[in-house]
Amino acid sequence: MSQYRPMTEEELRERVRKLKAEYNPDRVDMFTFRGAQYDHGLAWVHFPEGYGGLGINPKMQAIVADELRKGVETVYDDLAINPIGIGMGAPTLMTYGSDELKRALLRKCFTGEEIWCQLFSEPGAGSDVAGLATRAVRDGDDWVVNGQKVWTTLAHVAKWGLLVARTNPDVPKHEGLSYFLLDMHSPGVEVRPLYQITGEAEFNEVFLNDVRIPHRYMLGQEGQGWQVAITTLMNERTALGGGSTQKGGGPIQVLMQLWNARPPKRHAPAEAAVLRDRITRLYIESELLRLTALRARAMMRAGNPGPEGSVGKLAQAELYKKIWECGMDVLGEEALVYEPGYALRRPAHEERRDKVLLAKYQFLRSRANSIEGGTSEIMRNILGERVLGLPGEPRTDKGIPWKDIPRGG
Amino acid sequence: MDFAFTPEHEELRQTVRRFLQDRSDEATVRRLMVTEEGFDRATWAQLAEQLGLTALIVPEEFGGSGLGPVELAITMEEMGRTLFCAPYFSTAVLATSVLREAASDAARQELLPAIAAGKKIVAVAWAESPGIWEPADVRLKAQHGRRGWTLTGEKTAVIDGQTADEILVVARTREGLSLFRVSGSADGLQREALPTLDLTRKLARVRFQKTPAECIAASADVEAQLQRAFLLGLVALAAEQAGGAQQCLDMSTQHAKTRWQFGRPIGSFQAIKHRCADMLVAVEFAKSAAYHAAFRAAEGDAGELDAAARMAKSYCSDAFFQVANDTIQVHGGMGFTWEHPAHLYFKRAKSSALLFGDPVHHRDKLAAIIGV
Ligand SMILES: Cc1cc2nc3c(=O)[nH]c(=O)nc-3n(C[C@H](O)[C@H](O)[C@H](O)COP(=O)(O)OP(=O)(O)OC[C@H]3O[C@@H](n4cnc5c(N)ncnc54)[C@H](O)[C@@H]3O)c2cc1C
């Protein structure tokens, strides 16, 4: 019944070994290695051949990851390389893009040569993405875009942006949107850093002034932007809610290392007992986050992330915040010093940090976990309504043309 | 592999579910929970003869189905959903595991076929006040005299201890931990049904006064074997808790869709909707914990099982209690009444959380395993 081509685990492993034999990741540079991985169909195994895949069951990707890890130092973390491009852009492009766009963009997306960003949120439209105001007006073969986006992660290094804009203000909000791929180097795109709670600027304001986008860069049909955006958002939540794939890995590992590096002696016995129980609880939840993601994957019909991913997104956001809060309590007065201070700066894309520094940084950074990619409140609405089937909110904007919907200040 | 449920597993689940829909509806649970025995002998016979559930984990050589922890977890989860009143956990899970893991061949030969056929109720007595649940902590002593072994002392929270035909007793001899078999009609055996918080699960205090007992396991391995049986008990209980939690969530969701206030269903209020969403997360995690533990138990790796079982028991205890608690809140005044089933789940949740070691106890053990 599967639409996927059959392939045995051994055949797939052999393919990975062959790739590594020809291109040893410890010897060639990242772009070369990942380019070869793409050409061997090992980027997204469920994508068709010629598009970085083999047309086989996506479950098999785990086998590729496993085999890639063997006997080498260099293992690339996809999501660190190009989180938005790989996590959300590629599946959206695969579903809605033309062959021409797929051929032009997928390979460099996978290698990380071209970083992607997501231009959804606006000052007036965050949780309510469909309420956005950025306008795109057709002019010959182009669309001319004007508006402002905000909180755009990686916009400063991105080559491509996933852009949703309003192409018709006279229909209800979900119907008047269209979805574009924007070349971030186009004239009229201005990116300004936005400094965050950590002192860093991962995200930006993006101003769009008479930016021209050729019509062939539209994904899906005119007015279909919301459906396309849903694909992106679903993939975003799945990407954000999987936890660590390694047993005891991820944030909980750092917390346990911090705890074990600091003998409980420095805490009063009662305090140590409480902290130990807290850490164990967090360990259990981390494990269950990982196991629930495995369960969801085992149940999910391949390739179509459903609302199950949202359990992970909500649970992970709340859990990671608790883990890093606990980290501060483990550190005690050591946590009062915040190296290297709040000197405003743009973070390097791939940065590794000392565990103690990481914990202090993450204490602040993890506040975003319950906001980015959909707030915990929005996730609870989705779980309540789509999974449990509870009635929706009474809507004041239903059926009303977007231009007539009341807006706050 | 994790969570690899087969079509046979699904079928088992459906069979058990259909049976319980029929034989363990709310009215039946309420009727049985106030009787002294606490269960229905005719249903028990059907469960054994038609469904073969009492034989589930009994090895084939003793007339059983020879299935394992995964099938057991599925069955317990379904039983947890309906608060099925029967000596299933005591007899088909605990006693069977203890016999399977630790007992002499002779004892297995005598007891397991009878259990498999649904002909004997067998309880396991290992808990002792205060807070002694783990086999390793057992203190009750057995003496060897002219006429063989006798037991003196007290066990508590013996599930179905009042009705059991036989009681398996974990006790200490000079050699270490051993397993004894005591007939329900033995001299010097005093059984006292305890008035319980959770009416749907019967507990007894059992006193031994020079009570004659047969030693059915005394090797050096007994402690490890009993420990394994204990962990299997935790896994089964965790699955039962996950089932109870799922049922609470279903009741709450159903209610939130149909109860109207202020001109709209209460489920459209975020305070209720969001509570339900948090319950969903807890239920999904509880299932992950219980299934994971069941698969680890099936694999038979003792170290992995130790961690997984303790993780499951502590998480499922907290999750079930939280969800049962929220269920009362979502149901408002109705949820506080005797008529509504919410309190039955709430009481089961707290009592299962405290049975066999509470969440803090198991986290303490887990912390040592994972090196915290
Ligand atoms: C670190 C970070 C990176 C980000 N990166 C990107 C990016 O790359 N691209 C991009 O497009 N966006 C990005 N965002 C934006 C993010 O998607 C939005 O911040 C988010 O969707 C919330 O929108 P908002 O900030 O406008 O908050 P609002 O929508 O104004 O929400 C404010 C509060 O109201 C609550 N609320 C709103 N609506 C409801 C409702 N219906 N029911 C209950 N409560 C509600 C929210 O939960 C929240 O608590 C990023 C955000 C952060 C923090």
Side-chain angles (χ1 to χ4, degrees):
Chain A
M1 86 158 229
S2 160
Q3 71 274 40
Y4 295 112
R5 198 159 77 75
M7 178 175 282
T8 67
E9 183 178 328
E10 195 39 46
E11 281 173 298
L12 185 59
R13 285 192 188 277
E14 185 49 42
R15 245 189 127 82
V16 181
R17 284 194 286 266
K18 198 164 146 253
L19 163 73
K20 287 204 295 185
E22 283 170 43
Y23 300 87
N24 184 329
D26 292 335
R27 305 238 177 77
V28 301
D29 67 58
M30 179 171 93
F31 296 156
T32 309
F33 178 75
R34 289 179 67 84
Q37 183 180 347
Y38 180 94
D39 297 338
H40 280 66
L42 299 168
W44 300 278
V45 294
H46 59 294
F47 282 12
E49 283 179 276
Y51 299 98
L54 298 166
I56 63 176
N57 194 311
K59 278 197 290 196
M60 310 272 281
Q61 195 71 46
I63 294 165
V64 175
D66 182 56
E67 194 62 44
L68 279 176
R69 225 177 280 136
K70 288 185 186 161
V72 292
E73 293 269 300
T74 316
V75 178
Y76 296 111
D77 173 0
D78 283 359
L79 287 185
I81 289 165
N82 189 4
I84 294 165
I86 292 175
M88 299 136 69
T92 309
L93 183 59
M94 197 62 223
T95 313
Y96 289 100
S98 65
D99 278 356
E100 179 209 341
L101 281 182
K102 288 182 209 169
R103 286 194 195 284
L105 303 182
L106 280 173
R107 194 174 187 277
K108 285 185 179 162
C109 172
F110 183 74
T111 60
E113 279 160 274
E114 291 180 346
I115 302 297
W116 293 38
C117 69
Q118 177 195 18
L119 301 151
F120 282 23
S121 302
E122 298 184 2
S127 298
D128 183 15
V129 184
L132 59 83
T134 292
R135 282 283 275 133
V137 178
R138 183 88 190 232
D139 179 25
D141 275 348
D142 291 345
W143 290 87
V144 180
V145 184
N146 278 285
Q148 184 197 337
K149 296 289 176 177
V150 74
W151 306 309
T152 315
T153 305
L154 298 173
H156 55 297
V157 288
K159 164 68 177 168
W160 295 104
L162 303 164
L163 171 74
V164 186
R166 188 160 304 280
T167 43
N168 185 355
D170 300 321
V171 292
K173 63 181 184 180
H174 290 97
E175 293 163 31
L177 301 171
S178 298
Y179 196 116
F180 302 90
L181 280 178
L182 168 63
D183 181 341
M184 294 293 286
H185 302 159
S186 310
V189 178
E190 190 198 337
V191 177
R192 292 187 204 154
L194 266 175
Y195 291 96
Q196 302 165 207
I197 191 170
T198 54
E200 295 188 332
E202 295 167 275
F203 62 26
N204 306 270
E205 295 179 292
V206 178
F207 297 87
L208 304 165
N209 294 312
D210 289 329
V211 176
R212 299 191 81 86
I213 306 180
H215 179 69
R216 61 178 202 286
Y217 284 87
M218 181 183 275
L219 295 189
Q221 304 300 310
E222 183 184 340
Q224 210 192 351
W226 183 246
Q227 284 92 289
V228 185
I230 290 288
T231 305
T232 310
L233 293 173
M234 285 296 199
N235 281 289
E236 176 173 34
R237 282 156 202 172
T238 311
L240 288 174
S244 169
T245 51
Q246 294 296 307
K247 181 174 175 183
I252 190 65
Q253 183 174 27
V254 179
L255 178 61
M256 286 165 68
Q257 286 165 344
L258 284 180
W259 169 255
N260 286 325
R262 277 163 186 71
K265 267 199 256 83
R266 66 176 267 173
H267 301 279
E271 193 192 347
V274 171
L275 274 172
R276 184 167 177 264
D277 188 61
R278 251 172 92 187
I279 295 167
T280 312
R281 258 176 209 272
L282 295 169
Y283 172 85
I284 293 175
E285 285 184 47
S286 300
E287 267 298 276
L288 296 179
L289 176 69
R290 181 179 73 83
L291 293 166
T292 304
L294 282 179
R295 238 179 89 223
R297 228 168 293 157
M299 294 182 315
M300 194 165 70
R301 280 233 8 230
N304 291 319
E308 292 87 2
S310 309
V311 169
K313 163 71 172 94
L314 171 62
Q316 174 168 316
E318 299 303 318
L319 171 65
Y320 283 8
K321 286 169 78 172
K322 283 190 284 182
I323 289 179
W324 298 117
E325 284 157 26
C326 188
M328 294 295 273
D329 297 342
V330 167
L331 290 175
E333 72 277 359
E334 204 179 333
L336 302 179
V337 182
Y338 192 75
E339 320 93 330
Y342 292 107
L344 300 184
R345 62 188 203 108
R346 306 209 75 128
H349 188 191
E350 294 169 82
E351 213 166 355
R352 297 285 176 266
R353 286 157 189 271
D354 163 90
K355 298 252 179 313
V356 174
L357 293 186
L358 179 72
K360 294 178 195 175
Y361 168 79
Q362 285 292 3
F363 168 64
L364 297 176
R365 176 60 180 81
S366 60
R367 295 314 99 184
N369 294 164
S370 51
I371 300 171
E372 60 193 341
T375 66
S376 287
E377 287 74 22
I378 295 300
M379 289 302 127
R380 290 188 177 97
N381 283 347
I382 290 176
L383 292 183
E385 293 170 23
R386 306 234 187 100
V387 183
L388 298 175
L390 294 173
E393 307 274 310
R395 299 290 289 259
T396 49
D397 56 2
K398 205 166 190 165
I400 299 175
W402 173 80
K403 63 178 174 25
D404 300 328
I405 296 172
R407 264 169 275 283
Chain B
M1 200 185 122
D2 264 307
F3 314 122
F5 290 108
T6 63
E8 289 76 29
H9 287 142
E10 248 347 281
E11 207 179 299
L12 172 68
R13 185 185 289 287
Q14 292 313 323
T15 309
V16 179
R17 185 173 294 178
R18 273 195 304 272
F19 179 79
L20 294 172
Q21 259 160 16
D22 219 32
R23 309 305 306 245
S24 182
D25 57 305
E26 190 190 332
T28 309
V29 170
R30 284 176 180 275
R31 179 170 58 75
L32 292 172
M33 73 184 192
V34 292
T35 63
E36 212 171 295
E37 281 213 325
F39 74 106
D40 181 278
R41 297 249 170 204
T43 301
W44 184 250
Q46 265 188 324
L47 184 86
E49 287 153 25
Q50 290 170 21
L51 279 74
L53 290 182
T54 46
L56 204 67
I57 61 165
V58 173
E60 281 165 294
E61 51 191 306
F62 301 111
S65 317
L67 295 172
V70 176
E71 290 79 9
L72 188 66
I74 291 169
T75 306
M76 286 295 287
E77 190 186 349
E78 292 303 316
M79 290 181 173
R81 282 181 81 114
T82 70
L83 301 174
F84 181 48
C85 294
Y88 193 81
F89 183 56
S90 57
T91 301
V93 180
L94 291 178
T96 306
S97 306
V98 162
L99 288 166
R100 230 173 76 149
E101 297 297 328
S104 67
D105 263 354
R108 284 192 224 171
Q109 199 65 62
E110 278 176 49
L111 288 175
L112 284 175
I115 289 176
K119 298 252 161 19
K120 249 192 211 302
I121 309 299
V122 184
V124 180
W126 50 28
E128 295 169 25
S129 303
I132 289 183
W133 296 101
E134 306 259 345
D137 299 330
V138 161
R139 293 195 199 127
L140 189 122
K141 286 212 171 59
Q143 283 103 25
H144 196 63
R146 262 178 296 126
R147 286 203 219 111
W149 289 100
T150 57
L151 299 173
T152 299
E154 186 177 302
K155 293 278 187 182
T156 190
V158 181
I159 303 175
D160 300 317
Q162 177 71 357
T163 37
D165 303 307
E166 302 241 5
I167 301 178
L168 304 178
V169 186
V170 181
R172 277 196 186 278
T173 67
R174 241 178 280 138
E175 273 77 60
L177 215 54
S178 303
L179 185 63
F180 292 87
R181 176 182 166 188
V182 174
S183 156
S185 55
D187 290 339
L189 176 70
Q190 206 188 328
R191 306 196 263 178
E192 182 193 347
L194 297 169
T196 46
L197 166 73
D198 169 16
L199 292 169
T200 61
R201 181 143 48 212
K202 302 293 175 190
L203 299 177
R205 184 178 1 243
V206 179
R207 291 205 177 87
F208 306 93
Q209 272 173 329
K210 298 214 173 104
T211 310
E214 181 189 341
C215 181
I216 56 171
S219 75
D221 303 332
V222 170
E223 181 160 339
Q225 291 163 343
L226 288 174
Q227 184 63 20
R228 197 178 140 75
F230 176 77
L231 293 175
L232 270 170
L234 295 185
V235 176
L237 206 47
E240 187 194 86
Q241 290 170 318
Q246 177 73 61
Q247 186 63 24
C248 283
L249 171 61
D250 289 351
M251 288 194 295
S252 301
T253 312
Q254 190 52 33
H255 185 70
K257 286 180 197 172
T258 47
R259 172 76 175 166
W260 283 55
Q261 292 292 316
F262 299 96
R264 48 197 264 215
I266 58 165
S268 69
F269 294 112
Q270 287 191 341
I272 297 295
K273 182 180 299 176
H274 287 194
R275 201 182 272 262
C276 290
D278 287 338
M279 291 160 85
L280 172 69
V281 173
V283 168
E284 288 301 320
F285 272 31
K287 287 184 181 175
S288 298
Y291 298 163
H292 172 68
F295 279 102
R296 292 292 82 83
E299 280 165 10
D301 177 329
E304 291 280 321
L305 171 61
D306 201 8
R310 293 180 190 281
M311 193 162 95
K313 176 60 167 63
S314 69
Y315 188 83
C316 293
S317 293
D318 286 339
F320 186 16
F321 184 72
Q322 178 214 313
V323 171
N325 189 36
D326 286 342
T327 299
I328 295 180
Q329 186 64 23
V330 169
H331 283 80
M334 193 189 287
F336 192 69
T337 62
W338 189 264
E339 273 73 37
H340 195 275
H343 73 101
L344 302 178
Y345 288 89
F346 178 75
K347 290 165 181 170
R348 171 68 75 86
K350 188 40 110 183
S351 103
S352 313
L354 297 179
L355 271 178
F356 293 90
D358 67 15
V360 179
H361 169 84
H362 290 294
R363 281 200 295 273
D364 179 48
K365 298 279 183 189
L366 177 64
I369 298 170
I370 60 175
V372 169

